[in-house]
Amino acid sequence: MKPAARRPLLLCALAAAAALSFLLVAPPPPLAAHLSSLLLAFPASPYAGRPKLLFLLAGQSNMAGRGLAPHPLPAPFRPHPRVLRLAASRRWVVAAPPLHADIDTHKVCGLGPAMPFAHRLLEDAGSGESSLVLGFVPAAVGGTRIWMWRLVNDFRADLGIPDLLVIQVGLASGEGNYTDIVREGQKNIKLPNVILVDAIGLPLQDDQLHLSTEAQLWLGDMLGQAYLKFNSSTDSRQ
Ligand SMILES: *[C@@H]1O[C@H](CO)[C@@H](O)[C@H](O)[C@H]1NC(C)=O
Ligand SMILES: *[C@@H]1O[C@H](CO)[C@@H](O)[C@H](O)[C@H]1NC(C)=O
């Protein structure tokens, strides 16, 4: 299979592992002077040093986010003090869309599914889980080839977490004739702790490739529900 360059795969290693959060909250290396303007733009969060439920946002343009931002921003996309993002400067900052602006730098980034996902989790936790701090690690880059996103086993091996939860998003669009082939491949991954949330049928933008803002909102909510269902069915997870 020869993948099309711009196929907007969404592969969320929306990976939740408490141990991993400690790994990534290690103090950042000394910052170079040229990063100071970025730090001013993204002030560090008061929750920066707290353990986080970490999610790696992996994939292509639809995970990076291309949804147009309306004014005012709908509530599920708005920043929340307990939702953080690892900036390219390796600092934890309050997550505010576009989350991939300093990662997917060759395109104009917009709204993706991560903020609505976070709001779904916070909503579910309510006041009972007041210690919940979410940490997003943006890693999606539009136009990357699918083979660059070595799938589940490689992710798990790289991170040393063999049971890492991976929530992948069923491909909703694509260029050329490969969409169905990729979708079949996604459905046929028979590994533990891999969940498929299907984006097919969600509204696309005029380019027929990118999910609309409304679609990203629904998708984020669906991903949140999938995570919560998984979490509530797994006793050993924290
Ligand atoms: C897709 O398939 C159709 C029919 O099999 C073919 O005519 C067309 O050239 C294909 N398009 C691409 C981009 O491969
Ligand atoms: C996951 O499940 C545990 C155990 O039931 C619960 O304490 C925790 O709040 C849940 N996490 C989230 C993010 O809902």
Side-chain angles (χ1 to χ4, degrees):
M1 178 180 78
K2 182 166 155 276
R6 285 178 60 222
R7 185 180 298 119
L9 173 73
L10 287 146
L11 177 78
C12 335
L14 278 170
L20 186 59
S21 60
F22 295 104
L23 217 157
L24 282 181
V25 292
L31 290 156
H34 71 269
L35 289 176
S36 57
S37 59
L38 194 63
L39 288 175
L40 282 180
F42 303 119
S45 159
Y47 296 104
R50 296 274 292 274
K52 297 161 195 70
L53 188 55
L54 272 198
F55 296 94
L56 179 68
L57 308 175
Q60 300 175 309
S61 52
N62 273 325
M63 177 52 81
R66 296 290 186 263
L68 303 177
H71 295 281
L73 211 51
F77 289 106
R78 287 188 208 147
H80 186 288
R82 292 184 181 275
V83 182
L84 309 186
R85 167 180 85 85
L86 189 65
S89 62
R90 300 194 201 174
R91 285 263 167 131
W92 286 107
V93 299
V94 173
L99 301 191
H100 283 78
D102 55 0
I103 299 288
D104 190 11
T105 51
H106 296 292
K107 289 280 166 59
V108 177
C109 291
L111 302 178
M115 290 307 297
F117 170 81
H119 279 274
R120 187 73 179 78
L121 263 53
L122 290 173
E123 195 178 294
D124 186 83
S127 52
E129 183 83 12
S130 59
S131 62
L132 182 64
V133 179
L134 302 177
F136 287 131
V137 180
V141 175
T144 43
R145 305 270 173 149
I146 285 177
W147 56 258
M148 291 173 71
W149 290 102
R150 296 167 171 240
L151 297 175
V152 179
N153 288 331
D154 286 6
F155 263 134
R156 289 172 168 173
D158 286 354
L159 296 171
I161 307 174
D163 60 352
L164 181 78
L165 168 64
V166 175
I167 308 180
Q168 53 163 350
V169 178
L171 196 62
S173 64
E175 290 176 328
N177 290 338
Y178 302 109
T179 307
D180 287 341
I181 297 172
V182 173
R183 286 178 52 77
E184 279 310 304
Q186 290 183 293
K187 286 181 200 163
N188 287 325
I189 297 178
K190 305 269 188 261
L191 290 172
N193 296 356
V194 177
I195 297 170
L196 181 71
V197 169
D198 204 343
I200 199 87
L202 292 180
L204 300 174
Q205 297 182 20
D206 291 344
D207 63 7
Q208 295 303 309
L209 270 181
H210 293 120
L211 297 173
S212 70
T213 295
E214 190 186 28
Q216 292 286 19
L217 206 160
W218 284 337
L219 178 60
D221 200 70
M222 285 154 63
L223 291 168
Q225 287 178 45
Y227 173 79
L228 291 167
K229 188 174 164 202
F230 174 86
N231 186 51
S232 67
S233 69
T234 314
D235 290 341
S236 57
R237 205 156 284 271
Q238 320 167 17

